[in-house]
Amino acid sequence: METLESSTQKKVAELERMAEVLVTGEQLRLRLHEEKIIKDRRHHLKTYPNCFVAKELIDWLIDHKETSERETAVKLVQKLLDHSIIHHVCDEHKEFKDAKLFYRFRKDDGTFPMDNEVKVFMRGQRLYEKLMNSESKVLQPREEEGVKYERAFIACDFIQWLTQEGEVVTRSDAEQLCRRLLEHGIIQHVSNKHHFVDSNLLYQFRMNFRRRRRLMELLSERSPLLPENYDSPFCLRKQNHDSKATSFLSVSPTKEIKIISAVRRSSMSSSGSSGYFSSSPTLSSSPPVLCNPKSVLKKSVTPDELLTPGAPYLRKTLTVCQFVVCVNGLNVLHVDYKTVSNLILTGPRTIVMEVMEELDL
């Protein structure tokens, strides 16, 4: 059985991170074009096409709830500059400045560096979009050994589709293309046990290119994969079994977490639906959650104080599953475990989390 070595897995993680930055940057570019933030501008009788003013972009990011602080907004855009997605129009500033300076997306002036890694990524994205827009059933949710996988496909079916669509000439060429896509983190075997082979094995696209990204995700570095067990902060248990909407406090040595528990009834009842919850809000539609440190804890508590015999603290077993909706105002329903974990670990000392629980009917 052929497996990916740890060094290859690390490289794939780096490429996957690069892919997320590229997708996030492209989504932002299209939004800025649509809202006329990017346009031709004049300075000292010279016209600079398709550019934006740094200060105006920071204002726009705050107005659109991408962040609430200018300093954080600057760090977000700096990520795009560091990855050569944007640059100063005259390349005179290597750091992004919150000032009346002109910057431009490299894709708008043809200077985006098209190395082999970027070319493989862009081809993978194009194939994904082509599959999503086609009437074929190659790409769809599939099950294997009781586990459901999104954006999944059978290897030999994908090979056949690539040849039929004229993407490659032979099945051998198609297999080589798929191996490059796997090595660059675009696709993977569903259990990560095999390299790509023309077979009946099940593979999937690692990322949903169409998912709406929030810029705050750029500041969340990916961490090593952790098993999701009952100690996961994203499968919370409430303390009060008698209340249908419980607010409770959780504390660690370095973090204060306020949990806002909300049972949401469906807003679709007028159309005859009896669903428990309203449709999931998008990443851009969730209102900001204000963080009030005074409402979290009266004082800080150390692990030693909690574990001291006779301490005035009651230990409870948590048994009712709840689902994390927002972390500090950022909707995380469609964000992966690792990103949410880092939002908590790298966030401010006071963490505000909104959760959902199922109604007791």
Side-chain angles (χ1 to χ4, degrees):
M1 181 184 298
E2 187 176 5
T3 62
L4 294 178
E5 298 179 354
S6 58
S7 60
T8 303
Q9 292 177 326
K10 181 178 180 180
K11 181 63 174 178
V12 166
E14 294 173 354
L15 292 170
E16 184 181 28
R17 180 62 181 168
M18 178 202 71
E20 287 289 349
V21 175
L22 292 176
V23 173
T24 304
E26 179 61 10
Q27 290 181 352
L28 177 63
R29 185 183 74 89
L30 295 176
R31 292 173 66 191
L32 295 179
H33 271 288
E34 182 179 352
E35 301 203 18
K36 308 300 182 185
I37 302 298
I38 295 177
K39 59 184 179 182
D40 295 350
R41 301 176 184 271
R42 289 181 63 83
H43 182 66
H44 290 170
L45 302 179
K46 182 177 180 180
T47 299
Y48 296 88
N50 292 325
C51 62
F52 60 88
V53 179
K55 187 177 184 301
E56 292 181 7
L57 175 59
I58 299 301
D59 293 339
W60 184 88
L61 291 175
I62 293 176
D63 290 342
H64 286 73
K65 312 301 183 184
E66 292 288 348
T67 180
S68 60
E69 299 177 351
R70 302 189 73 86
E71 181 181 355
T72 303
V74 170
K75 291 180 180 178
L76 291 170
V77 184
Q78 181 65 43
K79 284 282 187 179
L80 300 179
L81 193 148
D82 292 341
H83 286 80
S84 296
I85 293 175
I86 66 171
H87 68 123
H88 180 254
V89 292
C90 298
D91 291 319
E92 294 178 354
H93 299 277
K94 300 303 181 183
E95 295 184 355
F96 186 82
K97 300 180 181 296
D98 184 3
K100 292 183 178 180
L101 296 173
F102 291 172
Y103 290 82
R104 182 186 294 125
F105 280 80
R106 290 188 177 275
K107 197 167 183 179
D108 285 332
D109 62 12
T111 63
F112 188 77
M114 293 290 291
D115 57 22
N116 289 333
E117 293 177 352
V118 172
K119 289 179 180 178
V120 173
F121 163 77
M122 295 187 71
R123 186 166 189 185
Q125 183 180 28
R126 182 176 62 79
L127 290 174
Y128 177 85
E129 291 293 341
K130 190 173 181 179
L131 280 166
M132 293 294 290
N133 292 327
S134 71
E135 297 181 356
S136 71
K137 301 297 183 180
V138 175
L139 191 65
Q140 60 179 299
R142 299 175 186 270
E143 287 190 10
E144 183 173 275
E145 297 181 354
V147 180
K148 185 176 181 179
Y149 298 96
E150 300 292 334
R151 306 179 299 279
F153 57 89
I154 299 173
C156 58
D157 291 344
F158 190 36
I159 293 288
Q160 182 67 22
W161 180 85
L162 288 170
T163 56
Q164 289 178 345
E165 292 293 319
E167 293 289 340
V168 292
V169 178
T170 66
R171 295 185 70 91
S172 177
D173 293 338
E175 185 175 29
Q176 290 301 314
L177 169 61
C178 292
R179 292 178 74 88
R180 289 199 300 273
L181 293 177
L182 188 145
E183 291 165 0
H184 284 76
I186 307 300
I187 64 175
Q188 67 176 8
H189 179 252
V190 290
S191 58
N192 205 29
K193 295 180 179 179
H194 300 274
H195 209 310
F196 191 91
V197 289
D198 186 355
S199 63
N200 289 320
L201 292 173
L202 190 62
Y203 295 81
Q204 67 179 159
F205 279 83
R206 291 172 63 96
M207 61 189 300
N208 180 0
F209 290 95
R210 293 184 171 184
R211 179 179 67 82
R212 173 72 172 273
R213 269 74 173 174
R214 288 292 299 269
L215 284 180
M216 283 298 294
E217 296 176 41
L218 295 179
L219 298 183
S220 302
E221 298 295 336
R222 294 187 179 274
S223 61
L225 183 62
L226 299 175
E228 296 197 34
N229 52 36
Y230 287 108
D231 294 327
S232 165
F234 313 115
C235 190
L236 303 174
R237 272 76 178 165
K238 70 178 181 180
Q239 293 175 314
N240 188 344
H241 296 277
D242 299 326
S243 174
K244 292 188 186 256
T246 306
S247 295
F248 62 92
L249 307 179
S250 177
V251 63
S252 72
T254 59
K255 296 288 182 182
E256 297 175 358
I257 302 179
K258 179 179 181 181
I259 307 296
I260 303 174
S261 176
V263 179
R264 297 186 176 182
R265 293 186 179 275
S266 174
S267 61
M268 300 169 62
S269 57
S270 60
S271 61
S273 172
S274 59
Y276 289 162
F277 303 112
S278 60
S279 57
S280 300
T282 62
L283 286 174
S284 61
S285 65
S286 179
V289 178
L290 298 179
C291 184
N292 180 8
K294 293 183 179 179
S295 67
V296 180
L297 288 175
K298 298 296 183 181
K299 64 175 183 178
S300 60
V301 182
T302 67
D304 290 337
E305 289 177 301
L306 288 173
L307 299 175
T308 299
Y313 302 104
L314 177 64
R315 178 176 297 184
K316 293 185 177 182
T317 300
L318 308 175
T319 58
V320 179
C321 184
Q322 294 181 322
F323 305 95
V324 175
V325 178
C326 292
V327 176
N328 280 347
L330 176 64
N331 190 299
V332 296
L333 283 176
H334 304 291
V335 177
D336 61 60
Y337 173 86
K338 292 179 287 184
T339 299
V340 179
S341 176
N342 278 287
L343 284 175
I344 294 174
L345 295 176
T346 62
R349 186 173 186 273
T350 301
I351 304 295
V352 179
M353 299 173 65
E354 180 182 350
V355 301
M356 277 185 175
E357 62 187 46
E358 188 173 357
L359 289 172
D360 295 326
L361 299 178

